Amino acid sequence: MKRNTGAAIVAAIAGVLLLIVGVNGMAGVDRIFALLEEWFGTNEALRILAYVLGGIAALGGVAVLFGAYFVGTGRVRTGKLLIALGSGAGILTLLLFLARNAVSEQFSYLYAVLPAILGVVLAIVARFMAKPKPIL
C-alpha cells in the first residue's frame, strides 16, 4: 500500500469520527483571522478569504473526507489543506481542546469526547503521513 493511500484511509476514518461528533475547525480559522485583522486592519480581501476558509472549516468532517479523497488521488497539498481546515488539526489545537475539556471536567461524557480526540489525532497523523511529490 502506498504511503498516500494509507494517509487517505486514516484521514477518511478521522473525517467519519469528526462527522459523528460534529467537530469542525471553525475556531482555529477565527483565531487566525482575528490575529491577521489586528496586524493588517479590516481589509475586504481578507474578509472574503476568511469567509471562504471559514466555510470550508465549518464543514468539519466533510472537509476532512474531501481532503482524504484528494490525498488518495494524488493532490496531496490540497488534501492536506482541507484536512487541516476541516479538523482544525494541529498539536496546539489538540492540546487546547484537551485542556479546555479537563478544566470544564467534560470527560464525564467520554463517549462524546473520545471520538473527537481520536478524530483530531488521526487527522494530524494523516497530514504527517501524506507526502506530496516535489514541485520541481
Side-chain angles (χ1 to χ4, degrees), residues 12-135:
I13 294 169
V16 169
L17 287 171
L18 293 174
L19 272 176
I20 290 171
V21 179
V23 172
N24 62 47
M26 192 62 190
V29 172
D30 282 343
R31 284 191 296 262
I32 290 170
F33 280 100
L35 181 65
L36 289 175
E37 198 170 72
E38 284 179 20
W39 289 347
F40 301 114
T42 54
N43 183 346
E44 199 58 37
L46 189 63
R47 186 174 301 202
I48 291 170
L49 183 62
Y51 286 138
V52 170
L53 293 179
I56 293 170
L59 293 174
V62 175
V64 174
L65 288 172
F66 277 119
Y69 170 76
F70 281 117
V71 168
T73 58
R75 289 174 258 158
V76 177
R77 287 178 181 86
T78 303
K80 287 174 76 169
L81 177 66
L82 286 172
I83 291 169
L85 286 173
S87 65
I91 302 296
L92 182 61
T93 306
L94 178 63
L95 292 175
L96 289 173
F97 178 76
L98 290 172
R100 184 187 63 158
N101 282 316
V103 167
S104 62
E105 297 178 3
Q106 291 182 347
F107 284 107
S108 59
Y109 61 100
L110 196 59
Y111 65 90
V113 175
L114 190 60
I117 293 169
L118 188 58
V120 172
V121 167
L122 288 176
I124 293 170
V125 168
R127 284 182 50 221
F128 281 115
M129 283 177 64
K131 296 293 178 199
K133 292 179 182 175
I135 293 176

